Amino acid sequence: MRYELHYWPSIQGRGEFVRLALEEAGADYVDVARLPEAQGGGERALLRFVRQHELARPPFAPPFLVEGRRIIAQTANILLFLGSRLRLSPREEMDRLWLHQLQLTIADFVEEVHGTHHPIAGSLYYADQKAEAMRRSQIFVAERLPKFLGYFARVLDRNPRGWLVGRRLGYGDLSLFQVVEGLRYAFPNALARVEREHASLTALRDRVAARPNVAAYLASERRIPFNQDGIFRHYPELDRSSS
Ligand SMILES: N[C@@H](CCC(=O)N[C@@H](CS)C(=O)NCC(=O)O)C(=O)O
C-alpha cells in the first residue's frame, strides 16, 4: 500500500527523518503537501487534514503518516511503525525498544536544537528573541551538543558493527545521519570540534550517505536544501564558543 507523508512542503524539518526511512527502503510514498494544489497538495491540504475535527485519532502536528485508514503522528512513533514494515528495525522486542528509546532521545535533542533559535516561542521571529537565542546557544554549544553527541558516539562505539543497534542499519542511524548533517549546516564550528573527538559519528554519517538509495535521494530534487525556516538554521552569531 502507498504511504502518504504529510509535512510542511518547504523544509526538511522533522518530516525529513521519515523521508529518509522511506527513501532508504525504496518505499512507495507520496509527500502530499509537495504536490501542486491542483493535485490535492500544498500547505492547504496539510492544514485541511489537521483541522478535520471529525477524525477519531487526529494528529496534533505534522509530520504524520497515512496508510489506508491509519493515521500515525509523532516522528518517533511513525518510525516505530515503519521500522518493522520497511526492515529498518531489529526483530527482538528489547532491541526494538532500545532503538525507540534512542529515537526519542534524538527527538529531545532536535527540540533543543530548535530552541537555540526559538528559545521563547515558535510564533515569534528570530529577531524578536535574538538575545535569548544567543544566551541559549552558548549553553547549547558548550554543554548540550557535546553531551548528546557524546552519548550517541558512545552507543556507536560499543557496537562493533558501527550502527546504533544490531547488525544492520536501522531508522535511528538515518536519523543520526540527519542530525549530523543538520548540525554541520547550523553549527559548523561547534560540530567540527565534536567530530574531531568522535570519529564514530563521522563514520556513521559517511556510511549512511553512501547507501545507494540515500545517495540517490540526496542528489535528487526531493531533498529540500537546508534553509532558514527549518529546525537546523545557520546563524553565525549562535555558533560561537564562549571560551
Ligand atoms: N513531537 C512532535 C513534534 C511535532 C512538531 O513540533 N511539528 C512542527 C513541525 S516540525 C509543527 O508543525 N508544529 C505545530 C505546532 O506545534 O503547533 C514530533 O516529533 O513529531
Side-chain angles (χ1 to χ4, degrees), residues 93-109:
E93 186 188 22
M94 285 317 292
D95 290 342
R96 277 182 200 232
L97 277 180
W98 170 224
L99 177 55
H100 186 51
Q101 179 179 322
L102 291 168
Q103 192 66 42
L104 289 167
T105 310
I106 289 176
D108 290 345
F109 187 32

Side-chain angles (χ1 to χ4, degrees), residues 7-8 11 13-15 60-63 73-76 78 107 111 231:
Y7 193 66
W8 301 108
I11 58 169
R14 289 179 175 87
F60 175 73
Q74 289 285 352
T75 310
I78 297 170
E111 189 58 37
I231 290 171

Side-chain angles (χ1 to χ4, degrees), residues 9-240:
S10 57
I11 58 169
Q12 293 183 10
R14 289 179 175 87
E16 198 64 14
F17 298 102
V18 183
R19 291 190 185 111
L20 280 167
L22 292 164
E23 291 282 346
E24 161 63 22
D28 182 16
Y29 82 100
V30 56
D31 203 337
V32 178
R34 296 192 70 198
L35 293 173
E37 285 198 5
Q39 288 175 38
E43 280 193 15
R44 254 195 240 170
L46 185 69
L47 291 171
R48 210 178 309 128
F49 213 107
V50 175
R51 290 172 187 158
Q52 268 185 58
H53 295 303
E54 69 276 13
L55 284 177
R57 296 178 179 182
F60 175 73
F64 51 93
L65 188 82
V66 177
E67 189 216 34
R69 295 165 64 94
R70 297 172 168 155
I71 306 171
I72 299 130
Q74 289 285 352
T75 310
N77 202 34
I78 297 170
L79 291 170
L80 182 68
F81 173 78
L82 285 178
S84 47
R85 283 162 179 80
L86 302 181
R87 299 195 70 232
L88 290 172
S89 57
R91 290 206 179 140
E92 291 294 317
E93 186 188 22
M94 285 317 292
D95 290 342
R96 277 182 200 232
L97 277 180
W98 170 224
L99 177 55
H100 186 51
Q101 179 179 322
L102 291 168
Q103 192 66 42
L104 289 167
T105 310
I106 289 176
D108 290 345
F109 187 32
V110 167
E111 189 58 37
E112 294 204 20
V113 173
H114 184 261
T116 59
H117 49 81
H118 278 78
I120 303 297
S123 53
L124 294 177
Y125 288 114
Y126 169 65
D128 297 328
Q129 46 194 322
K130 191 167 167 185
E132 293 89 347
M134 302 265 292
R135 202 155 170 227
R136 174 123 185 204
S137 294
Q138 261 186 14
I139 296 168
F140 176 80
V141 163
E143 298 173 13
R144 303 301 287 171
L145 183 134
K147 183 170 181 178
F148 272 103
L149 289 183
Y151 170 75
F152 290 118
R154 266 202 322 279
V155 174
L156 289 173
D157 290 339
R158 280 182 195 162
N159 183 352
R161 304 276 178 160
W163 302 118
L164 284 173
V165 184
R167 299 158 166 263
R168 301 175 59 235
L169 167 138
Y171 62 76
D173 300 299
L174 298 166
S175 294
L176 188 53
F177 159 83
Q178 175 65 9
V179 165
V180 172
E181 285 292 279
L183 291 170
R184 279 185 181 184
Y185 171 76
F187 289 92
N189 296 325
L191 200 72
R193 285 193 293 275
V194 171
E195 282 196 67
R196 271 199 296 277
E197 247 181 76
H198 299 293
S200 52
L201 287 175
T202 311
L204 182 278
R205 182 255 161 232
D206 292 348
R207 284 174 84 193
V208 170
R211 306 277 296 184
N213 284 355
V214 171
Y217 168 61
L218 296 177
S220 76
E221 288 189 355
R222 296 191 302 285
R223 171 79 164 180
I224 301 165
F226 285 109
N227 60 45
Q228 296 299 77
D229 296 318
I231 290 171
F232 298 100
R233 303 188 191 186
H234 180 55
Y235 295 113
E237 63 274 20
L238 302 186
D239 185 25
R240 289 201 190 118

